[in-house]
Amino acid sequence: MPSVWAPEFSCTDIICCVLFIVVILGYMAVGILAWLYGDPRHVLYPRNSTGMFCGIGLNKAQPSVFYFDILKCVTSINIMAATLNGLQCPTTQVCVEKCPDVFWALNPIAYLPNAKPQDYFNQSLCVPSFDLARTTLVSIIYLLEVNSANYTAGCVPDVTALENIPNDFANTWGLPSSINDTVNGIRNAKGDIVNSFKAKEIGVRIFEDFASSWQWIIAALVIAMVVSFLFLLLLRFIAPVMVWVLIFGVLAVGAYGIYHCWWEYDNYRKSTVSITDIGFTTDFKVYLQVKETWLAFLIILSVVEGILLLTLIFLRTRILIAIALIQESSKAVSHMMSTLFYPLITFVLLVVCVAYWGITALYLATSGIPVYKVVALNSTQDNCGQISSNETCDPQTFYNSTDYLWCRSARCIFIKYNNEGLLQRNLFNLQIYNGVAFLWCVNFVIAMGQCSLAGAFASYYWALNKPSDIPTFPLSQAFIRTIRYHVGSLAFGALILTLIQIIRIILEYLDHKTRAAQNPCSRFLMCCLKCCFWCLEKFIKFLNRNAYIMIAVYGKNFCVSAKNAFMLLMRNIVRVVVLDKVTDLLLFFGKMLVVGGVGVLAFFFFSGRIRLPSSNFRTEMLNYYWMPIIVVVVGAYLIAHGFFSVYSMCVDTLFLCFLEDLERHDGTMQKPYYMSKNLMKILKKKNRGPKNGEGKD
């Protein structure tokens, strides 16, 4: 009589395995090319007018960029967007250590014949090639800086300080004629560029909050992990009570709803106002004041309550089976504690995939040499109209040369990255490859985790004498089997899911681009397509999950495993529905218990309602007390989801093994049942063999 589960495994879906390996090698090649030709400094650091980066190299001590005339940023879009493929601020820019924080101007009244530029100007605010000591003040120069704030890497005016601009600034040469125009001009200039800078101020404050409270955030997350862990272990003992309490709780809520609807209906029964007298109105409270509304609610709730009661009566045996499987799952997890921490491996691998995709996309986007072109800010000045839109320049030598002295408004502006090379001409295709390979890798990592966990839990179920027949290190063995034999099958299932996700992304893109031109019919068609592919993705995820379980149990290829799993579930569709809903109800309650409990505790602590006498932490130390609360709630949900996803995988695996056990075995010595005694008792089955062959718990 067999006592240990030992199926024979062999490599499956070899063609898809080879294809996946080729794609991974190609993905690595794309990453190497991007790393060789890309330069993320173009995105991470600002540049001055000479093309040098601020914050690194020679300008390491000057991390911010200062705009000479920020008002020109207002019209930069109109100046260049039509003729050039770029969007820059066409004014001189210099790297500075600190943004100016005062109002300052030199106007005709302040003009002195013997004035020296270094007495009025700061050398750090000039281009490196400009020496104030060798310069004579021969014309009126102005500088207006409205309490500059340093947002990420750029100096932009602080709008909150505009009301403090001196009145005589309205008469400064080169500025609008009234103070209101000056204020509005600077505000408009700031609006065009501040969105890319302003995030740092909020980000710094949030980072300060995190730095002040990270110990308590970690403590709250540890509490969430402990509560999730204890909840899963206690399900072995409290699952029956919790399931029946939740079921009767739902019935009690429905019964109270019926009573309340009857009470409201009885109160309005003598009213002469009917729903036909009200007609249609957007004030829905009016409908709650007529008896027909409450009568409709009463009928609907009564029907739902009746259906639930009949379901409970006729499906009570299947509910008992679901409870027994949940208890057995808790027992399996307690025998293989390492499975609870496997989501950490999946998380790390997903982080690697996301990081590789993001870095590759960044390097690809910045591959190619930056292209600078000569731009005349005022084409009507002198002979500036003669400048061609195709004239390139080098910003590091442009402002020291005499080539464009005849056009004082000429500037050397970054336009785009060179796209004339073979790599640059195929950047779009490489970005598409990067995205597709990323989705395939992510789906493969998830599939690998599901198959490994399924193999571990299957080894528990198919051990006749538990726990003595459970293999040593079941999770490690299952992981090794998955990597050794089933990479092709997992890649096959992940590829199918990836193709559907790509179609969904394309539909979303088309919907976004054509939304303004869509008529009601096309919008309806697009909505139907999106809905259908959303449902298809959910079905494929469900099918893949069960196929991976069958792959882990029997070692067959993906198509055979998916077919066998689907047919097995269809033959037991009622049991599937009952188990799925009971498990969902129980795990949903568990998640709400963990997230809600830890979230409420975090709210009372970080809002100052709970104070620890021995702690130096105070709510006043936080800029936004809701930041650590959000982090704790999101972290608690992710922790609970990680623990409960393992438990859900255990339930699904044991359920499929249970169905296979029922169909393949009959309780004889040659074909004994592997299910627990509790399940055999519910189903009124037993093993007809020696005492040591009766499926010990």
Side-chain angles (χ1 to χ4, degrees):
M1 180 178 64
S3 62
V4 179
W5 169 69
E8 296 181 0
F9 290 93
S10 60
C11 294
T12 56
D13 296 303
I14 299 177
I15 296 178
C16 200
C17 177
V18 173
L19 177 62
F20 182 68
I21 293 175
V22 170
V23 170
I24 293 298
L25 293 177
Y27 200 16
M28 295 172 61
V30 171
I32 293 173
L33 287 175
W35 183 77
L36 290 176
Y37 293 96
D39 188 358
R41 294 181 302 172
H42 299 304
V43 177
L44 301 177
Y45 299 97
R47 304 179 75 147
N48 61 14
S49 297
T50 63
M52 299 181 66
F53 295 105
C54 301
I56 58 174
L58 298 177
N59 296 319
K60 186 176 182 179
Q62 294 86 34
S64 301
V65 62
F66 173 68
Y67 300 88
F68 267 33
D69 189 355
I70 200 169
L71 295 178
K72 292 180 180 178
C73 299
V74 179
T75 56
S76 63
I77 298 177
N78 297 329
I79 290 176
M80 292 182 296
T83 57
L84 303 172
N85 295 324
L87 180 59
Q88 302 298 317
C89 194
T91 184
T92 303
Q93 302 163 32
V94 295
C95 299
V96 295
E97 180 180 0
K98 180 182 177 182
C99 293
D101 57 0
V102 296
F103 299 102
W104 186 89
L106 182 64
N107 57 27
I109 298 177
Y111 175 75
L112 297 175
N114 298 323
K116 296 181 179 180
Q118 60 264 35
D119 296 334
Y120 295 92
F121 293 92
N122 188 345
Q123 178 67 51
S124 64
L125 299 180
C126 299
V127 295
S129 61
F130 192 81
D131 187 1
L132 287 177
R134 300 180 181 180
T135 303
T136 303
L137 187 61
V138 296
S139 62
I140 297 174
I141 306 172
Y142 79 89
L143 172 66
L144 174 61
E145 186 54 47
V146 189
N147 276 7
S148 286
N150 187 356
Y151 292 113
T152 302
C155 301
V156 294
D158 183 3
V159 173
T160 60
L162 289 176
E163 60 184 11
N164 300 323
I165 297 178
N167 292 328
D168 57 354
F169 271 45
N171 299 319
T172 302
W173 177 83
L175 292 180
S177 59
S178 68
I179 188 67
N180 291 330
D181 291 341
T182 303
V183 171
N184 292 331
I186 297 176
R187 180 183 286 111
N188 292 336
K190 180 182 179 181
D192 284 338
I193 60 176
V194 74
N195 291 334
S196 62
F197 294 143
K198 194 174 181 180
K200 184 178 181 180
E201 183 181 12
I202 298 176
V204 168
R205 291 181 180 178
I206 292 177
F207 181 79
E208 291 174 351
D209 291 344
F210 185 78
S212 302
S213 60
W214 67 269
Q215 302 97 328
W216 301 104
I217 293 175
I218 292 177
L221 297 181
V222 170
I223 293 175
M225 184 175 65
V226 172
V227 173
S228 300
F229 181 73
L230 292 177
F231 181 83
L232 294 181
L233 293 183
L234 290 176
L235 282 180
R236 177 177 178 179
F237 308 101
I238 64 176
V241 176
M242 290 189 61
V243 170
W244 290 115
V245 167
L246 290 174
I247 290 175
F248 284 110
V250 172
L251 293 175
V253 171
Y256 173 77
I258 293 173
Y259 165 75
H260 183 76
C261 291
W262 169 257
W263 183 75
E264 293 285 355
Y265 172 75
D266 189 60
N267 288 338
Y268 292 106
R269 192 189 321 191
K270 297 180 180 180
S271 176
T272 58
V273 181
S274 64
I275 197 168
T276 56
D277 298 329
I278 297 175
F280 177 77
T281 178
T282 56
D283 186 6
F284 293 101
K285 293 182 180 179
V286 177
Y287 293 113
L288 299 178
Q289 299 176 5
V290 294
K291 59 183 180 182
E292 287 88 348
T293 302
W294 293 107
L295 180 61
F297 287 160
L298 177 63
I299 295 173
I300 294 173
L301 284 178
S302 298
V303 172
V304 173
E305 187 80 356
I307 293 174
L308 290 177
L309 284 172
L310 292 174
T311 302
L312 180 62
I313 293 172
F314 290 103
L315 298 180
R316 62 187 183 277
T317 302
R318 289 177 173 83
I319 294 176
L320 292 175
I321 294 175
I323 294 173
L325 283 171
I326 290 173
Q327 290 179 292
E328 196 69 16
S329 299
S330 181
K331 197 181 301 182
V333 170
S334 66
H335 286 300
M336 293 179 284
M337 303 291 289
S338 59
T339 57
L340 290 175
F341 300 97
Y342 185 85
L344 293 176
I345 299 177
T346 301
F347 175 76
V348 171
L349 293 176
L350 290 178
V351 168
V352 171
C353 291
V354 173
Y356 186 84
W357 166 78
I359 294 173
T360 302
L362 176 62
Y363 273 82
L364 284 175
T366 57
S367 62
I369 301 175
V371 175
Y372 292 83
K373 291 186 178 181
V374 181
V375 177
L377 303 184
N378 188 355
S379 59
T380 61
Q381 183 185 43
D382 300 331
N383 297 318
C384 294
Q386 299 178 7
I387 297 179
S388 172
S389 60
N390 294 322
E391 293 187 30
T392 59
C393 57
D394 184 355
Q396 299 190 26
T397 60
F398 178 82
Y399 296 98
N400 295 327
S401 67
T402 59
D403 295 341
Y404 292 92
L405 290 179
W406 48 273
C407 178
R408 290 179 295 174
S409 65
R411 298 291 185 271
C412 187
I413 302 296
F414 166 75
I415 301 303
K416 62 179 180 179
Y417 294 103
N418 180 28
N419 58 0
E420 296 179 358
L422 178 62
L423 175 66
Q424 286 72 32
R425 288 198 302 268
N426 292 278
L427 280 181
F428 179 76
N429 296 331
L430 293 177
Q431 290 285 21
I432 294 295
Y433 186 92
N434 183 29
V436 173
F438 164 71
L439 290 176
W440 197 358
C441 289
V442 167
N443 290 324
F444 176 82
V445 169
I446 295 174
M448 183 174 62
Q450 292 176 345
C451 192
S452 299
L453 290 173
F457 294 128
S459 66
Y460 168 83
Y461 185 92
W462 296 114
L464 186 62
N465 299 305
K466 303 177 180 65
S468 59
D469 289 340
I470 299 176
T472 307
F473 305 114
L475 181 59
S476 300
Q477 292 188 25
F479 181 79
I480 293 173
R481 283 197 305 270
T482 300
I483 295 300
R484 181 178 179 182
Y485 298 113
H486 306 311
V487 170
S489 297
L490 301 185
F492 192 6
L495 178 60
I496 296 174
L497 184 58
T498 299
L499 295 177
I500 296 173
Q501 290 172 340
I502 292 173
I503 295 175
R504 288 195 63 200
I505 293 173
I506 294 174
L507 289 176
E508 291 289 347
Y509 175 79
L510 293 177
D511 185 33
H512 176 72
K513 288 297 184 180
T514 62
R515 184 174 295 275
Q518 290 177 359
N519 55 38
C521 182
S522 60
R523 280 197 298 271
F524 174 76
L525 180 61
M526 181 63 70
C527 183
C528 290
L529 286 173
K530 290 165 62 176
C531 181
C532 290
F533 279 97
W534 178 85
C535 295
L536 181 60
E537 181 182 0
K538 293 296 181 183
F539 173 75
I540 292 299
K541 286 182 177 179
F542 170 79
L543 185 62
N544 283 3
R545 182 184 179 92
N546 290 281
Y548 300 147
I549 294 174
M550 299 299 283
I551 290 172
V553 173
Y554 294 110
K556 304 297 182 181
N557 62 50
F558 177 81
C559 292
V560 173
S561 299
K563 185 195 73 171
N564 292 340
F566 182 75
M567 298 306 297
L568 180 63
L569 294 174
M570 289 299 102
R571 291 194 297 269
N572 299 271
I573 188 63
V574 178
R575 286 174 175 163
V576 172
V577 173
V578 172
L579 178 70
D580 184 62
K581 296 309 171 187
V582 171
T583 305
D584 287 347
L585 181 64
L586 196 59
L587 296 185
F588 174 78
F589 175 78
K591 287 182 182 179
M592 291 301 101
L593 178 66
V594 175
V595 177
V598 176
V600 170
L601 181 64
F603 172 77
F604 279 100
F605 178 78
F606 290 112
S607 62
R609 290 171 172 81
I610 297 178
R611 293 183 182 272
L612 298 179
S614 61
S615 172
N616 296 325
F617 177 79
R618 293 292 182 270
T619 305
E620 294 76 13
M621 300 168 59
L622 300 176
N623 297 300
Y624 310 107
Y625 77 89
W626 45 262
M627 189 281 299
I629 297 176
I630 293 177
V631 173
V632 168
V633 170
V634 174
Y637 175 81
L638 293 177
I639 290 173
H641 179 73
F643 276 91
F644 292 174
S645 65
V646 173
Y647 191 82
S648 177
M649 194 70 200
C650 181
V651 173
D652 291 344
T653 302
L654 296 188
F655 180 58
L656 277 181
C657 293
F658 166 72
L659 297 180
E660 283 285 299
D661 195 9
L662 282 177
E663 292 192 356
R664 292 176 177 267
H665 304 136
D666 54 12
T668 61
M669 291 183 60
Q670 292 75 23
K671 296 181 179 179
Y673 291 118
Y674 287 80
M675 68 184 73
S676 65
K677 290 182 179 180
N678 191 19
L679 282 170
M680 285 193 285
K681 181 179 178 181
I682 294 172
L683 296 173
K684 298 179 180 180
K685 296 181 181 296
K686 63 179 181 178
N687 283 331
R688 298 183 295 275
K691 185 176 181 180
N692 60 359
E694 292 185 356
K696 294 181 181 180
D697 290 336

